Amino acid sequence: MTFLHPSIFLAGLVCIAIPIVIHLLMRRRRRPVPWAAMKFLLEAYRKQKRRLTLEQLLLLALRCLLIGLVGIGLARPMIGAAAGLTGPGPRTVYLVIDNSLVSGVRDAAGTTALERQQARAERVLEQLDSARGDRAGLIVLGGPAEAIVAPPAVDLAGVKSAVRAIEGTDGPADWMGASAVLRSTAAARRGDEPAASVIVLSELRAGSVDLRRPAPKLGLEGGGAVLVSRPAGEAVDNVSVLDVEPLRGVLLKGAEGSGGAGEPARVTVRRSGPGVSKAGVSEVRVSVEGAGGEGGKAGTGLVRWASGQEEANVSVAVPADAGAFAGSGGGSSGRVLAARIDNDALAGDNIWRRPVRLGEAVEVALISPPVGIAGTIEQFTPTDWYRLALSPDGDGSRSGGEVRVTVIESSQAGVRSLAGFDAVIVPYPETLDDGAWRAIGQFARSGGAVILNPTPGESVNVWTDAMGRALGLGWELARESRELAEPATIQPGREGAEAGAGGLLGLLGGELEELLKPVRVRRLLDVDLKDVSARVELRTGDGKPLLVVGEPAGGRGVVAMLLAAPDLAWTDLPVRPLMVPLVQELVRQGAGRAGGAWHGPAGSKAPVPAGAIELRGGSGGSGGSLVMAAAGGESAEAIRRAGVWRALDSTGAEVGLIAVNADPEAAHVEVQTESELAPWLTALAGDSGWGWLDDDSLEVKPGMAAAAGGPGLGAGRAENGMPLSLPVLLGAVVVALAELAVARWSSHARGMRQEGPA
Amino acid sequence: MPEPPRRDVSLGQASGDGPAGGGARGGQERGGREDASTTAPGPDTGQRPVPLSTPHADLSLQLAPGQEPVDASLYLHPQTLARLGSFELRAKMIVEGMSSGQHRSPYHGFSVEFAQHRQYVSGDDIRHLDWKVYGRTDKLQLKQYQQETSLDLIVMVDASGSMNYGSRSFEEASGAGRKTGPDGNPAWTKFDHATALAAALSYITLRQGDRVGLVVYADSVRQIVKRSSSQGTWRQIVGALSTPPARLTPGEAPRPTNLARAVDQILAGVSNRCLIAVISDFFQDIGDMRAALARVRHSRHDVLAFQVLDRQETEFDLTETAPFEGLEGEGRVKLDPRAVRKAYLEAINGHIDSVEKLFKSFGYDYQRLGTHDWLGPPLAAFVARRNAQIKRSKYG
């Protein structure tokens, strides 16, 4: 047991002597009373002596106990709490320092919150004494929480050095992880070791403590107190970049429609702080960068904030200049699209990166059996239609070389022949053997886009089994196509606002319905979409899927299947205006999306391309450090800092870039009041008491008074923080009543009044 | 109680003008006779007789040089004297006086009061033949008469340490306008009350012509005033009680009561049957007292027991915790009087009852007196009651 106010406890102990001192003083002042009938007085006294002595001792004990209990009660005792801080024995202190993203908030002097907490931690450590046996542990909260010094060490100088070496992270505060570390440490604690106390050093902004989520218990088994630094009181303005998303996953040099300025990218920004109530302007710059941070010109956009507006989107044209393409090679290669804003109070969330494919053209392989040269439209094969849709000019490339088509014979299809392509179109799947299917499967899982359609004609589709094995889509395709009784119209796969959103055809937007109107479908291959993740992009008028998009099992690619062959016997789609944008979007969006969104928030494991076994730090990252990638498609460890990482396969070749961005949820800089935090901290401390850390003193202070009237669990317990205070004071009241009763009984005044004069 | 107006009271006359009745029975001629067997340093040394007819303002005793003159009215209030003026102190039992008097003698003689007839034997004085009986019965019968004698009163005053306690102010109790006693004590102690009582008894006795003596005792006899019927005896007695060594003085070592020893010392010097008035608080062992009284009884002395107690002793209504210190060297004990009051009262009341029963078991009269009460009324009631008893026993 320990006390929130040890000084009051000590004062109470001293005050126990008051009754004794009064007794001695009163004893000294009495003048002897001469008495003649002493014989009888002594006789009476001898009879009553034992009882009188007992009464006096009982009274003295009760009075001392009363004062002692009042002193203890006012000193706010806590069972098992803060013993490590106020007890006479060696102390064990865990410093839990918040180095999450929001700890990078700078004050007016330019000092970050983390630097301030580091200084406080050093002052706390200076109060410990190695010679006494004090020990200190160090845990950082930046997600995931990390035990820097655990179990606690007596080398306080070393701990201080470790404190100085703490760097900020770009992830959220991982209270759960810190709790787990403390629990494991507490479990490993020997019985004779003192209970550890925890000192939490954080500004407790909204980015560090999410009050909407329940607090984990720190699990200080065996006692120990929790001291928490008081929350920040200074509100700051901050703008965070939440996302940057190009319209297509592959950025092409000199894309049409961009006016020569490059592909547009949509940037999402959010602002917080007191400045939200005012109108303002933020400048956003978007550029293409390499893994090392090298990049070209930045396109700029302005966000005009309305009063009260917290989140906004802005479209910024990404300059496709030579600098951006430098080193990108001939085909599409790894680059990141980076959106930046000017530095503000929190620097970590001022940049957001997304890996993109960048190239001069999208490389498409058209796997087809040899086909003759068609003389008329009726003689056009699906291969012809695809080629025509991808290269309307008929020379294999459009202006600017956006899509480059290569025809590969079905018998030649293999892993090597498909290497370097962004997308594969299979108009005659029945012509592929198992080897070709395996190659296509591997291509898809490695981040390629595969576009399929049923083989024209009325043959039985036996290729579906091989396709299912290769791609693992989980769909069940009908063996035979069926001719529709009436040519069916086509409609978007989803209705209303969801139509096209997030799909491969999203860019077609409102034009899609107009393009769909003239299209009719006469024959269709039915599919049973057992895979719930499949997305129906188009369906017939009676609701049958026409264009289905899914992902291969165990990979990041995209498989799009057009369930009506682009053949005039099946549908008039090839001759409708929809054909060109449909195939173009399927190829370009599919290729971009199949490449994978290799980005994730800091503080968690990052997604990595299949085959990658190693991540190497790039720009903005912890350069040079290695993180082993797991086989499950994610990094072996959580990445704490934002940056760009290069994923390498077993041969050392780069298989993609991974962008780790600041966690936008951890970028909330809003301050939170002590009363708001009290319930959460109470839940965090659990059975242990907690208090505010004032003046960097190890003396435990009670929770704020304003919390006392708060609702629910936390407020009351947080204010009390000492489960024994109320019982002790109640005990003091009981003792006081007992003292009154005993004093009245032993004084015999009542008896005298009743007896009267003799 | 308002103090009654003072009157000039005559305590009698000098030799030849003694109290009424005393001199008439021939006591006056032996008034100056002293019992040679009692010797003790007394305050009467060097005293000059003072006329008893002087008013109370002239009651100052003539003391030895260096002694503070003591005003008898300090102890014997004129009101008390007035109350006792009409009473006689009679011996309840048979006493042996040195002269004829008004008290029953153990001897039959030929005096005034007829006692019985006795058959004539040869050698009897025929002057005492009852001729009337002879005439009626032809038998020779002698008339015998009850011989009456004078009374010897020995006043024993307890001067032990416990008698030096009093909770009443001297000024209020004395009524003489003086704030302290002769020893400077502002309290009217039990010894002061005993002094007043002794003075009153002596006054009554002397006024009826009997002899009176004083014995002051504590653990032993400390002072004696020889029995005498002279009028100066009263002043000697009061003077002896008012001055050391009879009175305890501050700083003097306290002495416990030893009645048995004092009695032994007295009985050794007294040959005739006397009336012994014992004035004490009787704070001593009952067994010792019983033994002493048995010896007194064996010597066929009559005893008057006056137990003087202070009201505080019998009520014990103190409320403050304080150290209590015994006056006879019992030591000191700190206690809350309220805590032991019940047990204390049980103890002291039991003792008082035992004392009363003890005296009455020997056929002696017992009277309890409180220092907070005026001496006159209870003493007068006691004497009257006693005399009534004597009359009843005498005349059936």
Side-chain angles (χ1 to χ4, degrees):
Chain A
M1 184 174 73
T2 187
F3 303 92
L4 290 179
H5 296 298
S7 54
I8 295 181
F9 171 67
L10 293 176
L13 286 183
V14 173
C15 288
I16 288 178
I18 290 177
I20 301 171
V21 171
I22 290 175
H23 173 75
L24 294 176
L25 290 177
M26 297 299 286
R27 187 178 191 176
R28 194 173 295 169
R29 287 177 185 171
R30 303 283 183 184
R31 293 179 59 187
V33 175
W35 194 250
M38 198 65 183
K39 173 186 172 187
F40 311 104
L41 192 58
L42 287 173
E43 181 181 335
Y45 175 70
R46 287 190 195 101
K47 285 182 181 176
Q48 307 285 329
K49 183 178 181 181
R50 179 170 294 180
R51 185 174 67 86
L52 293 175
T53 305
L54 281 176
E55 285 175 2
Q56 290 173 353
L57 288 177
L58 182 60
L59 265 181
L60 182 64
L62 285 174
R63 286 165 183 169
C64 293
L65 183 62
L66 174 62
I67 293 178
L69 284 177
V70 170
I72 291 173
L74 294 179
R76 307 203 163 193
M78 296 185 297
I79 285 184
L85 295 178
T86 57
R91 298 170 290 186
T92 301
V93 174
Y94 271 104
L95 294 171
V96 178
I97 298 180
D98 180 9
N99 65 336
S100 64
L101 173 63
V102 77
S103 70
V105 171
R106 293 183 182 276
D107 59 11
T111 308
T112 66
L114 175 60
E115 291 168 347
R116 293 193 292 273
Q117 303 300 356
Q118 285 173 308
R120 299 189 72 176
E122 291 190 44
R123 289 196 292 271
V124 168
L125 287 171
E126 286 169 359
Q127 298 180 49
L128 301 179
D129 186 3
S130 296
R132 180 180 170 180
D134 293 345
R135 302 184 306 161
L138 180 60
I139 298 172
V140 289
L141 276 178
E146 184 180 11
I148 305 296
V149 179
V154 294
D155 179 14
L156 300 179
V159 177
K160 197 180 290 186
S161 300
V163 168
R164 289 194 206 103
I166 294 174
E167 293 182 349
T169 67
D170 295 314
D174 181 17
W175 296 96
M176 190 74 76
S179 171
V181 170
L182 286 171
R183 283 176 186 276
S184 62
T185 308
R189 184 173 67 95
R190 295 198 308 270
D192 57 341
E193 292 179 355
S197 296
V198 174
I199 296 178
V200 178
L201 298 173
S202 169
E203 288 199 334
L204 305 174
R205 294 180 186 268
S208 293
V209 175
D210 187 353
L211 297 177
R212 297 167 300 180
R213 296 180 181 173
K217 278 190 178 179
L218 287 182
L220 297 179
E221 295 180 1
V226 178
L227 288 179
V228 187
S229 59
R230 292 199 181 266
E234 182 186 3
V236 295
D237 290 326
N238 181 52
V239 179
S240 306
V241 182
L242 302 182
D243 194 9
V244 56
E245 186 178 17
L247 293 183
R248 294 187 179 89
V250 178
L251 291 181
L252 301 178
K253 182 179 181 182
E256 289 182 352
S258 61
E263 293 270 4
R266 187 178 62 178
V267 180
T268 305
V269 290
R270 182 186 65 201
R271 65 173 180 167
S272 58
V276 172
S277 60
K278 302 174 184 175
V281 176
S282 298
E283 184 185 67
V284 179
R285 299 183 301 279
V286 181
S287 62
V288 177
E289 299 176 352
E294 69 282 3
K297 290 175 59 181
T300 60
L302 293 178
V303 180
R304 302 188 183 279
W305 298 101
S307 176
Q309 185 182 8
E310 294 185 357
E311 193 167 315
N313 295 318
V314 62
S315 182
V316 180
V318 183
D321 61 333
F325 287 83
S328 63
S332 62
S333 62
R335 287 289 188 276
V336 291
L337 189 63
R340 285 186 173 82
I341 58 172
D342 291 334
N343 274 341
D344 52 14
L346 184 59
D349 62 345
N350 290 342
I351 183 170
W352 211 92
R353 302 181 184 90
R354 176 187 288 271
V356 291
R357 288 194 172 189
L358 187 68
E360 297 183 353
V362 177
E363 299 290 342
V364 178
L366 196 56
I367 302 176
S368 170
V371 293
I373 300 175
T376 62
I377 288 179
E378 287 76 13
Q379 294 174 341
F380 271 36
T381 64
T383 304
D384 295 327
W385 290 119
Y386 277 124
R387 188 161 48 190
L388 191 58
L390 292 172
S391 301
D393 297 339
D395 60 354
S397 64
R398 293 184 65 191
S399 60
E402 290 184 357
V403 178
R404 192 175 297 150
V405 180
T406 303
V407 177
I408 300 175
E409 281 197 24
S410 302
S411 59
Q412 301 298 320
V415 175
R416 288 191 175 181
S417 61
L418 297 180
F421 287 99
D422 297 316
V424 168
I425 299 176
V426 184
Y428 293 94
E430 68 175 6
T431 61
L432 300 180
D433 56 13
D434 287 347
W437 278 116
R438 281 196 297 273
I440 291 174
Q442 185 175 344
F443 172 79
R445 282 190 292 274
S446 64
V450 177
I451 300 168
L452 298 162
N453 61 261
T455 303
E458 300 177 1
S459 60
V460 176
N461 298 309
V462 296
W463 52 271
T464 55
D465 295 339
M467 187 200 76
R469 288 193 298 271
L471 299 176
L473 292 171
W475 305 339
E476 188 173 335
L477 291 168
R479 288 293 183 185
E480 295 181 2
S481 60
R482 66 181 174 90
E483 181 153 4
L484 303 179
E486 294 289 334
T489 58
I490 305 176
Q491 60 185 11
R494 299 189 181 191
E495 300 293 337
E498 293 184 352
L504 296 182
L505 307 180
L507 275 183
L508 299 180
E511 300 175 0
L512 182 60
E513 290 197 22
E514 291 297 323
L515 294 170
L516 290 175
K517 281 181 181 175
V519 180
R520 295 293 182 271
V521 177
R522 299 184 181 90
R523 179 177 287 274
L524 193 67
L525 182 66
D526 290 327
V527 62
D528 183 4
L529 296 175
K530 294 180 178 178
D531 182 5
V532 294
S533 66
R535 177 188 174 96
V536 177
E537 294 285 353
L538 295 175
R539 62 177 72 238
T540 61
D542 57 355
K544 298 296 183 183
L546 177 63
L547 178 60
V548 181
V549 178
E551 296 176 356
R556 298 279 298 176
V558 169
V559 177
M561 182 147 195
L562 189 62
L563 293 164
D567 186 274
L568 294 178
W570 288 57
T571 177
D572 59 356
L573 173 65
V575 296
R576 297 301 179 190
L578 176 63
M579 183 63 182
V580 173
L582 176 65
V583 175
Q584 288 274 338
E585 287 302 309
L586 285 178
V587 167
R588 295 186 61 179
Q589 292 285 28
R593 187 157 303 181
W598 310 107
H599 63 86
S604 58
K605 293 181 178 179
V608 297
I613 62 168
E614 186 180 286
L615 298 180
R616 197 176 294 272
S619 66
S622 50
S625 63
L626 300 178
V627 180
M628 296 303 295
E634 61 182 8
S635 60
E637 298 176 12
I639 299 176
R640 295 184 173 85
R641 298 297 304 273
V644 179
W645 299 74
R646 294 164 55 217
L648 307 178
D649 62 10
S650 57
T651 65
E654 181 180 320
V655 293
L657 293 182
I658 298 162
V660 177
N661 294 296
D663 188 341
E665 293 303 314
H668 287 280
V669 296
E670 295 90 343
V671 295
Q672 303 183 104
T673 64
E674 295 178 354
S675 57
E676 291 170 343
L677 288 163
W680 195 89
L681 292 172
T682 302
L684 180 76
D687 296 332
S688 306
W690 72 275
W692 297 116
L693 177 70
D694 287 331
D695 307 325
D696 304 329
S697 167
L698 291 181
E699 183 179 356
V700 182
K701 302 291 178 59
M704 61 172 301
L713 149 80
R717 291 193 58 197
E719 165 59 16
N720 295 330
M722 53 306 170
L724 273 187
S725 185
L726 186 59
V728 167
L729 289 177
L730 287 177
V733 172
V734 172
V735 171
L737 293 175
E739 193 273 343
L740 282 177
V742 174
R744 185 175 174 80
W745 174 58
S746 62
S747 74
H748 305 275
R750 186 163 172 253
M752 276 194 68
R753 283 197 296 273
Q754 288 179 345
E755 291 167 10
Chain B
M1 179 175 172
E3 184 176 330
R6 288 196 163 194
R7 297 182 301 166
D8 291 342
V9 177
S10 172
L11 296 180
Q13 297 176 346
S15 59
D17 293 330
R25 290 186 171 85
Q28 188 63 34
E29 58 268 22
R30 292 198 300 269
R33 195 183 77 84
E34 295 177 351
D35 193 338
S37 62
T38 57
T39 56
D44 51 343
T45 306
Q47 282 187 341
R48 291 187 295 111
V50 176
L52 286 176
S53 57
T54 55
H56 76 279
D58 298 323
L59 290 179
S60 298
L61 301 173
Q62 204 70 28
L63 302 177
Q67 281 189 324
E68 182 186 4
V70 177
D71 186 354
S73 66
L74 285 178
Y75 300 100
L76 197 53
H77 197 280
Q79 184 186 11
T80 304
L81 294 179
R83 179 68 70 98
L84 299 176
S86 58
F87 289 97
E88 293 179 342
L89 185 62
R90 305 294 296 274
K92 187 177 179 182
M93 303 172 70
I94 296 171
V95 294
E96 297 173 280
M98 300 304 293
S99 61
S100 61
Q102 54 184 331
H103 311 284
R104 290 177 64 193
S105 168
Y107 310 109
H108 288 209
F110 305 95
S111 182
V112 177
E113 191 154 350
F114 173 76
Q116 62 185 355
H117 285 96
R118 178 171 68 81
Q119 192 170 6
Y120 173 80
V121 294
S122 176
D124 286 339
D125 189 351
I126 61 171
R127 287 181 299 175
H128 299 295
L129 281 173
D130 190 343
W131 298 110
K132 292 179 180 178
V133 172
Y134 178 76
R136 287 196 301 269
T137 63
D138 201 19
K139 293 180 180 176
L140 292 173
Q141 296 285 343
L142 290 181
K143 288 172 67 177
Q144 284 193 318
Y145 298 87
Q146 182 68 48
Q147 186 175 4
E148 293 179 336
T149 184
S150 60
L151 172 70
D152 277 7
L153 173 66
I154 300 175
V155 181
M156 293 179 67
V157 176
D158 182 4
S160 64
S162 63
M163 291 294 285
N164 200 29
Y165 176 79
S167 62
R168 188 183 185 189
S169 75
F170 189 93
E171 181 181 19
E172 187 255 347
S174 166
R178 183 165 165 167
K179 292 187 176 180
T180 61
D183 57 351
N185 191 347
W188 178 262
T189 65
K190 290 188 285 187
F191 187 80
D192 290 327
H193 210 67
T195 301
L197 177 59
L201 293 174
S202 303
Y203 167 74
I204 297 172
T205 306
L206 290 173
R207 199 189 57 169
Q208 64 196 23
D210 294 326
R211 295 197 307 169
V212 63
L214 173 70
V215 175
V216 180
Y217 74 99
D219 53 342
S220 63
V221 173
R222 302 187 66 196
Q223 197 166 10
I224 291 176
V225 175
K226 296 172 185 175
R227 286 171 285 170
S228 172
S229 61
S230 69
Q231 294 305 315
T233 305
W234 188 82
R235 284 185 173 78
Q236 291 180 14
I237 290 173
V238 175
L241 290 171
S242 305
T243 55
R247 175 178 289 274
L248 284 174
T249 54
E252 183 181 1
R255 301 183 182 188
T257 308
N258 192 337
L259 180 64
R261 188 175 177 188
V263 164
D264 285 345
Q265 290 177 331
I266 292 169
L267 293 182
V270 177
S271 57
N272 58 330
R273 301 181 195 181
C274 301
L275 175 60
I276 302 175
V278 185
I279 307 172
S280 171
D281 53 11
F282 297 115
F283 287 166
Q284 65 180 104
D285 184 65
I286 291 291
D288 295 343
M289 289 172 61
R290 181 178 289 111
L293 292 178
R295 288 194 285 277
V296 174
R297 176 70 174 172
H298 180 74
S299 302
R300 291 187 272 183
H301 296 289
D302 194 6
V303 173
L304 295 177
F306 294 95
Q307 187 171 19
V308 180
L309 298 172
D310 191 89
R311 179 187 293 172
Q312 193 64 269
E313 291 174 333
T314 56
E315 294 187 357
F316 198 54
D317 53 357
L318 300 173
T319 56
E320 296 294 329
T321 299
F324 286 78
E325 187 169 20
L327 293 176
E328 294 182 354
E330 297 96 333
R332 180 184 296 185
V333 61
K334 184 185 178 186
L335 49 82
D336 181 357
R338 295 169 296 185
V340 299
R341 181 172 186 260
K342 186 178 179 183
Y344 167 81
L345 291 178
E346 286 177 359
I348 194 167
N349 288 332
H351 180 78
I352 292 171
D353 292 343
S354 299
V355 170
E356 182 176 2
K357 288 177 182 174
L358 175 66
F359 281 100
K360 288 184 176 176
S361 67
F362 283 96
Y364 300 147
D365 282 336
Y366 167 88
Q367 179 63 38
R368 192 181 308 154
L369 298 173
T371 57
H372 284 68
D373 301 324
W374 287 105
L375 184 60
L379 182 58
F382 169 73
V383 174
R385 187 169 62 248
R386 176 182 167 87
N387 290 344
Q389 284 180 352
I390 293 171
K391 271 188 180 176
R392 279 197 300 273
S393 63
K394 186 173 181 180
Y395 301 108

